Structures are given as C-alpha cells and as structure tokens.
Amino acid sequence: MEFNKDYISELLNLYEEGETSLKQEQELKLYFSSEVYDKEFEPYAKLFKFFELESKTEMEDQVTGNEKTSSSFWINIAATLCIALGGLWFYDHYQTQQEMKEARQAFETTQNALNLLSSNMNDGLEKLEYVEVFRTQKNKLIK
Amino acid sequence: MTSEIYSRQVLPLQDKIFRFSRRLLSSEVTAKDATQDVLLKLWKLRKQLNDIKNIEAYAMTMTKNHCYDLLKSKHSRTLELVHSNYTKPGSSLDSQIEARDEASIVSKLINELPEQQRAIIQLRDVEQFSNQEIEEIMGLNSTSVRVALSRARKKIMNELKKTSAYGIQ
C-alpha cells in the first residue's frame, strides 16, 4: 500500500480541523494499521490504534450471560423435578398416613363395640345362674 | 413482527450503546446498567420503531440523554468516576500489554475532555457516525459539531505529542 507522506500529513491537518470525511478517516486508519507508517506520525498512530481497539470492544458479559442462562435453565429443570417428585412423595405419604389413621379408628370402634357386647354377655350369664338353681331344685323334686 | 425489528436492528447496537455510555459515564458497571436501561426503553417502544428512519442515531440519542440524566442526578452523590483500564482479550501478551498502555493513555486523555467533546469524539472516531447523524444525536448544528471535534482532536494530539516527546509512556 503506497501512501504519500505529504498526503498523509495533509490529511492529518484536515483531521485536526475536523474537516476530513469519513472516507478520508478510513484511509488514515488503514495507513496506521499497516505498521509501516512514518515514525514521525507515531502520536497519531497511537490515537488511531486506540480507535480501532475501542471500536472492537464488546460488552463482555453477554457471552457469560448466555452461559449462565443455559446452566440456570438446567438448574430450573432440576429444581422443578425435585419439587414435583417431593410433592408426589409427600402426597403419597400423606395418603397412607390417612389410611392408617382411618384403619386404627375403625379398629378402635370395633374393639369398643366388642367390649360392650362381652360385658353385656357377662351380665346375661349372671342372670342365667338363677335358671341353674331352679333346675337343680326341680331335679330334686322330680326324682 | 415488531419484536423481529427489535432483534434485527436494535440488539446489534448493544456494543455501540455500551461503548458510548462507558465513554460518557467512565464506569464499566454503570455503563452496563445504562445499556440495559436503554435496550429496555427501546423494547418498550418497539411498536414505534417502524416509523423511525435512523434507528441507530435514535438509539444513540436515547443513550446520550440517559447518560446525561444519570450524570446530572448522580454527579454530586454516588456515581464513581472510576477509570478502568480497558483491555481486550486475545492477542499475544506483549502486544496486548503494549496496546493496553497506549490505549489507556489515549483513553485517559479522551476522558479528560469536556462531556460534549468526549461524546462527539466517540461517535465520530470510534463509531464512525456521519457529521449529520452526530448533529441529530447531540442536537447541535454543523458548525458546533465540527468545532468541538476539532478542539477535542487538537487537545488529544497536543497531549500525545507531549508524552511521546518526553518519552513518557
């Protein structure tokens, strides 16, 4: 790439006056990025290299942000699964608990009923002793 | 449909918005926040983006206004004007260090300029907006843009010539 030194210095003058067009500034950028610029223009080279560098900086956190969202996506799924499984297990557990409780209650009521029945039976048996006495007396008389 | 316009035309501007607000706010973190805010504002306005001729300039105007608001409201209070060394990942270590030293000098010089000149230098020399677009973004006429640009460039070059003459890096 051949650049005339006079031409470049003229462009730089215009540049400082704010009179260069975007196209001319492009030429300057190209000239200074070629690494064969005249050492006389070193300070300008710094400036143009900086502009080049600066125009390429990106907002870094976008990439990491994407990674984060993809990992948090899986974490979300894992958390959802945990909650769902936990809920299922708890529901199951609660239901068996409830069944056990009902069964125990039924058992207790049955036991109470049977107790009542047996105590009534015992009462009845006591009364039956009179019949026994009556029968022995009757046997004595009839024999 | 409207969200398509947004992702096609607004999202690619993210880095430009970020660089511009970083230049104005001088803080990486605040600039990131500001970028998010501006993108959010544009998202809310996505239905009107159809009617805007130059979305890029519109986004930059919005960024400028947002940053000025931030500076106005926080200048006296909490906003830290921290200068961070802007590095770029990649490239070999030597050239990286060298580039960083030089870049940080220039970056520092630019940050020492008045707000308006800083903004104009950023828009013109980094983002390569045309003078007309800059007039629109900054709300200035063509003469003041050119004068501000020329002042900023002269000032930076003076300082750069001084440092290289003294051999100070």
Short mmCIF file of all heavy atoms in Angstrom, two decimals, chain A residues 11 23 39 64 77 87 97 113:
data_model
loop_
_atom_site.label_atom_id
_atom_site.label_comp_id
_atom_site.label_asym_id
_atom_site.label_seq_id
_atom_site.Cartn_x
_atom_site.Cartn_y
_atom_site.Cartn_z
N LEU A 11 -3.78 15.13 5.24
CA LEU A 11 -4.99 14.53 5.80
C LEU A 11 -5.06 14.74 7.31
O LEU A 11 -6.11 15.06 7.87
CB LEU A 11 -5.03 13.03 5.52
CG LEU A 11 -5.58 12.55 4.18
CD1 LEU A 11 -5.76 11.04 4.19
CD2 LEU A 11 -6.93 13.21 3.90
N LYS A 23 -14.54 8.91 4.79
CA LYS A 23 -13.74 8.10 3.89
C LYS A 23 -12.25 8.39 4.09
O LYS A 23 -11.42 7.49 4.13
CB LYS A 23 -14.15 8.38 2.44
CG LYS A 23 -14.00 7.19 1.54
CD LYS A 23 -14.55 7.49 0.16
CE LYS A 23 -13.85 6.62 -0.85
NZ LYS A 23 -13.84 7.23 -2.18
N LYS A 39 7.58 7.11 11.31
CA LYS A 39 7.73 7.27 12.76
C LYS A 39 7.36 8.69 13.22
O LYS A 39 7.03 8.90 14.39
CB LYS A 39 9.17 6.97 13.19
CG LYS A 39 9.49 5.48 13.19
CD LYS A 39 8.61 4.72 14.18
CE LYS A 39 8.60 3.23 13.81
NZ LYS A 39 7.30 2.58 13.98
N THR A 64 -20.94 -14.52 28.82
CA THR A 64 -21.10 -15.22 30.09
C THR A 64 -22.57 -15.25 30.48
O THR A 64 -23.04 -16.22 31.06
CB THR A 64 -20.29 -14.52 31.20
OG1 THR A 64 -20.61 -13.13 31.16
CG2 THR A 64 -18.80 -14.71 31.00
N ILE A 77 -34.83 -26.81 35.58
CA ILE A 77 -35.50 -28.09 35.34
C ILE A 77 -35.30 -29.03 36.52
O ILE A 77 -36.25 -29.67 37.01
CB ILE A 77 -34.94 -28.73 34.04
CG1 ILE A 77 -35.48 -27.96 32.84
CG2 ILE A 77 -35.30 -30.20 33.95
CD1 ILE A 77 -35.22 -28.60 31.53
N GLY A 87 -43.36 -33.33 46.02
CA GLY A 87 -44.81 -33.18 46.21
C GLY A 87 -45.53 -34.50 46.08
O GLY A 87 -46.39 -34.86 46.91
N GLN A 97 -50.71 -42.34 55.40
CA GLN A 97 -50.88 -41.92 56.79
C GLN A 97 -52.38 -41.85 57.12
O GLN A 97 -52.84 -42.36 58.15
CB GLN A 97 -50.23 -40.54 56.97
CG GLN A 97 -49.82 -40.23 58.37
CD GLN A 97 -48.45 -40.82 58.68
OE1 GLN A 97 -48.06 -41.84 58.10
NE2 GLN A 97 -47.76 -40.22 59.61
N ALA A 113 -67.03 -51.82 70.49
CA ALA A 113 -68.31 -52.50 70.31
C ALA A 113 -68.24 -53.90 70.90
O ALA A 113 -69.15 -54.33 71.62
CB ALA A 113 -68.65 -52.55 68.82
#
